[in-house]
Structures are given as structure tokens and as C-alpha cells.
Amino acid sequence: MFDWFWDFLYSISEILFELIDGVLAVSNKLCGIDPITVGDKKTNFLVELLENSKIFMGFAGAALVGIFLLMIFSIIAICRNCKDGKKSSGQIAVEIMKTLGLFFLVPSLMIGFTIVLNEIVILLYKATSSSTPSLGAFLFENFLPNGMEGFEGTYDYTSVRSVRTYMAAAGYDLSDYRFFFSWIISLPILFFVAKALLLFVERCISIVLLFIMSPISLSTTVLDDGARFKFWRDKVITKYLSGYGMIIGLNIYILVLSFITRSDVIFVENLPLISDKLGNFIVRICFALGGAFFLPKVFGMVGDLFTNGAASGEIQGGMAASDALVKTAKGIKDAVSKKDKDKDEKKKKRESEFEKMIFQIMEKSMKIALDQAIDDILKEWK
């Protein structure tokens, strides 16, 4: 009789699972774990982005500006050298030639670095991946009654009919599914993986920006002994590796959960107040929910191992930027609401002033009429 009600409750869980899987699938493509399709070929997103003709034309334009700046800075360096004599003209000439060579090597180096790094990270990604097909499927399995114990066969968590058949084969009904717990665990996970997706978008834009602006950073080499170029290089490495830290960190979180949620792992036994089943379920929920809220720290920690401590700042800055995006949207909404409120207040103020004016006119008219009537009465009395 209430099948529609249980179908509705499960549809909420299913939407959350699908959104999580969808966001992760897009994130994997943006960071290069999975290929994208361009025309008829499968390719790496970042490689395709760096090889794009319009972006390369932007790099070529920046290279021309960089060469012009290099000429100016070279003249300044030669003039400065004439005063202090720290470098010979030959040394300055060698630095100029090295800088010009790097102008043309940067595109090939960045594309090659992207390809090699992606292959290494894909191997690490596969090594840390669980046997579950997706995070959405993993979450679905862990909110079944008794976990996966007693369940056999295959399922499609995106189909209510398939889920009903799967649960019925194990002797359960859809009403036995743990809907509420699936929501409170899935929502924070969705929130943080959505933030990670925004970070990947920012990462891609930043890498393209660093690629195009590389000649400008290189042009100052003759003046600062490559200090600005070193800063550019460190930024590139941090941007590349911090994103991979988030993907690997999420995999490690799933690996830990896959062990915690096993039915043969017992945390609570023979407690007087609660049953063993309920106690173990509470412990698993604490691990899952606590881990979801600490995912940003996990992202930063794994990223720091790749970038010698620089990833935390990048990830925290990106998280703050995504928070700022949400706050901006809220601010716009509040501003519109405030504008509407101000309009209402101004309208009420105008109405009150209009009413006040009418009452003043009525009061003045009544006073004049009353004075005239009193004067007429006094005249007749006299």
C-alpha cells in the first residue's frame, strides 16, 4: 500500500548517489585520470587544453612580449654589470640564450610533464581504488540492512525495480533500507566532492594561465638569477600535484570505509545498554560521517606529501573561494531581498506621508468650518 512512499524515499538516496558519482566522474576527467573524447579520439583534458590552437596563440603573443622584455632587461643587466662587474658579458649572453631556449621548450616540457605525471598518478589511483565500481554503489551497499551480508547477484542502484528485486532475493523489503543514514552521510560527501570539482576547474584555468604567462616570468632571469621563474615553476608543480592529492585522498577514505563497514569487523561486544548490532552500526556511522567532514584535511595532507607542504594552502584557498562563491550568491540574494524590502519601506513611507497630508488637510478644513460655524452662531446671538 505504501510502496510509493518507500520508492520516493529511495529516490532521494538514489539522486544523492548519482550526483556523487557524476561529480567524481567529471573530476576524474578534469584531472586526467579518465580521458575525454574530442572528435573521434580519446585524450587527456589538460594535454588537449595546452595543445589548443587559441591557447597556443596566446602563449606565442606572450612569448613575443617576453622577448621584448628580455631585450630591455638584458640592456639593464649589462649597464648594471658595467658598474659592479659581478658578471661578465659572456655570462649574461649565456643567460640570455638559456632564457630564449626555455621560451620554446616550455610548451613541450609542460605537455610532457602532464603526460608522464598522469600515467604515474593513474597507477597510484588504481592501487588505492576499492573493488566497488563507484562511490555511489559503495554507499548504496553500506546502507542495506545488515550491510552486504546475505545479498547475492547484481543490482543497479539507479533503478528502484532492480533494488527491490535485489533486496527481495535476500529476504528484505525496500522499507528496510536505511534511508535517513544514507542522507546524512551522502550530503556532506556530495558537498565536499562538489567543492573538489570547483577546485579542479580553478586548477585547469590556473595551469593555462601559468602556461601562457611563462615567458613573462622567464624574461627577468638576467636580472634576478631566475628567482621569478623559480616561483613560476613551484606554482606549476603545486597546481598539478594538489589536484591529484584530492583524488588519491578520496580513494584512501573509501578504502578505510570498505574495511570499517565489513560485517566481520566487530567494534562493540556485550554492552549492557545497547545491542552489538546497533553499537557497531553507530561506530561505522561515526567513521563515515567524521571522515566526510575531514575530507578537506585528508586532501591537504595527501597533497602536501606530493608538494612538500604547499598543497594545503592551495586547497584551503580553493575551498575558501568556493565558500566565497556560495556567500556571493547568498549576498546577491540578500541584496535583492534588501532592495525589495527597501522598495516596500519606501512605498509604505510614501503612503504614510500621503495619508498624513490628507489627514492634515481634513483637520485644517474641519477647523476652518468649525470656526466659521462658531462665528455665525455668535453673530446671531448678538
Side-chain angles (χ1 to χ4, degrees):
M1 180 178 178
F2 293 102
D3 285 353
W4 64 271
F5 179 69
W6 305 119
D7 289 351
F8 171 73
L9 293 183
Y10 179 75
S11 67
I12 298 174
S13 300
E14 180 251 322
I15 288 170
L16 291 173
F17 298 155
E18 278 201 89
L19 283 173
I20 290 170
D21 279 347
V23 170
L24 285 177
V26 176
S27 299
N28 284 348
K29 289 181 182 294
L30 290 183
C31 75
I33 299 294
D34 294 330
I36 62 168
T37 302
V38 179
D40 298 327
K41 65 174 182 176
K42 298 282 187 180
T43 183
N44 181 286
F45 175 70
L46 272 177
V47 172
E48 190 66 25
L49 203 59
L50 295 177
E51 290 179 344
N52 182 272
S53 58
K54 292 182 179 179
I55 291 174
F56 191 79
M57 288 301 295
F59 171 81
L64 291 175
V65 175
I67 291 171
F68 175 73
L69 290 174
L70 179 63
M71 292 170 60
I72 295 174
F73 294 147
S74 299
I75 294 170
I76 294 171
I78 292 169
C79 294
R80 183 187 294 175
N81 186 60
C82 291
K83 291 182 178 180
D84 53 31
K86 289 182 179 180
K87 293 182 181 179
S88 65
S89 300
Q91 288 175 320
I92 295 175
V94 169
E95 285 184 356
I96 293 171
M97 295 304 294
K98 283 169 62 178
T99 303
L100 287 172
L102 283 173
F103 276 0
F104 300 103
L105 281 175
V106 162
S108 301
L109 289 173
M110 284 193 71
I111 292 171
F113 180 68
T114 304
I115 294 171
V116 172
L117 195 59
N118 271 344
E119 292 302 319
I120 294 171
V121 174
I122 286 171
L123 293 175
L124 187 58
Y125 176 81
K126 289 179 179 178
T128 56
S129 296
S130 65
S131 56
T132 310
S134 67
L135 181 54
F138 174 81
L139 291 170
F140 164 76
E141 291 177 358
N142 280 280
F143 296 111
L144 290 167
N146 260 348
M148 286 295 289
E149 190 175 348
F151 287 86
E152 294 180 357
T154 59
Y155 63 84
D156 177 10
Y157 77 82
T158 63
S159 168
V160 177
R161 180 177 296 180
S162 172
V163 171
R164 278 190 173 277
T165 304
Y166 184 66
M167 293 183 68
Y172 295 101
D173 187 68
L174 188 59
S175 59
D176 298 318
Y177 195 77
R178 294 162 174 165
F179 302 106
F180 176 71
F181 291 107
S182 71
W183 302 338
I184 64 173
I185 299 298
S186 300
L187 279 171
I189 292 177
L190 176 60
F191 177 73
F192 288 118
V193 297
K195 276 193 168 187
L197 176 60
L198 292 178
L199 288 177
F200 283 122
V201 172
E202 184 269 339
R203 171 179 175 262
C204 294
I205 295 171
S206 297
I207 287 174
V208 171
L209 175 65
L210 289 166
F211 171 68
I212 292 175
M213 297 303 292
S214 59
I216 309 300
S217 298
L218 275 166
S219 64
T220 63
T221 303
V222 292
L223 286 178
D224 58 12
D225 294 325
R228 193 176 299 274
F229 178 66
K230 183 178 180 298
F231 177 78
W232 174 89
R233 183 196 64 195
D234 292 342
K235 273 287 183 185
V236 169
I237 294 172
T238 301
K239 283 293 178 185
Y240 267 100
L241 297 180
S242 61
Y244 295 127
M246 286 185 286
I247 290 294
I248 303 303
L250 188 61
N251 274 2
I252 292 171
Y253 167 69
I254 298 170
L255 275 178
V256 172
L257 278 189
S258 64
F259 172 76
I260 298 297
T261 53
R262 278 170 45 182
S263 58
D264 59 338
V265 178
I266 308 298
F267 295 97
V268 176
E269 288 184 286
N270 304 321
L271 288 181
L273 297 178
I274 58 173
S275 64
D276 294 351
K277 183 178 178 181
L278 178 61
N280 284 293
F281 182 68
I282 291 172
V283 172
R284 292 185 179 106
I285 287 294
C286 289
F287 265 100
L289 191 58
F293 278 104
F294 285 109
L295 274 177
K297 288 191 176 181
V298 175
F299 294 159
M301 188 182 299
V302 178
D304 284 345
L305 296 176
F306 289 145
T307 60
N308 196 25
S312 290
E314 288 288 332
I315 292 172
Q316 287 173 6
M319 291 288 182
S322 59
D323 286 339
L325 185 63
V326 175
K327 288 179 181 177
T328 302
K330 186 177 182 297
I332 293 171
K333 176 181 174 294
D334 292 342
V336 172
S337 301
K338 186 179 179 182
K339 189 177 179 182
D340 293 339
K341 187 178 178 182
D342 290 342
K343 283 183 179 178
D344 291 338
E345 288 178 355
K346 287 179 181 178
K347 186 178 179 183
K348 288 179 181 177
K349 188 176 180 181
R350 284 197 300 268
E351 288 176 354
S352 62
E353 288 176 353
F354 183 67
E355 289 173 358
K356 185 179 179 181
M357 184 180 66
I358 291 173
F359 284 132
Q360 285 176 346
I361 293 171
M362 289 174 65
E363 183 182 0
K364 191 174 181 181
S365 301
M366 288 179 69
K367 186 179 179 182
I368 293 171
L370 186 60
D371 289 342
Q372 187 66 41
I374 291 173
D375 288 342
D376 292 340
I377 291 171
L378 291 172
K379 283 179 183 178
E380 290 178 1
W381 183 73
K382 289 177 180 179

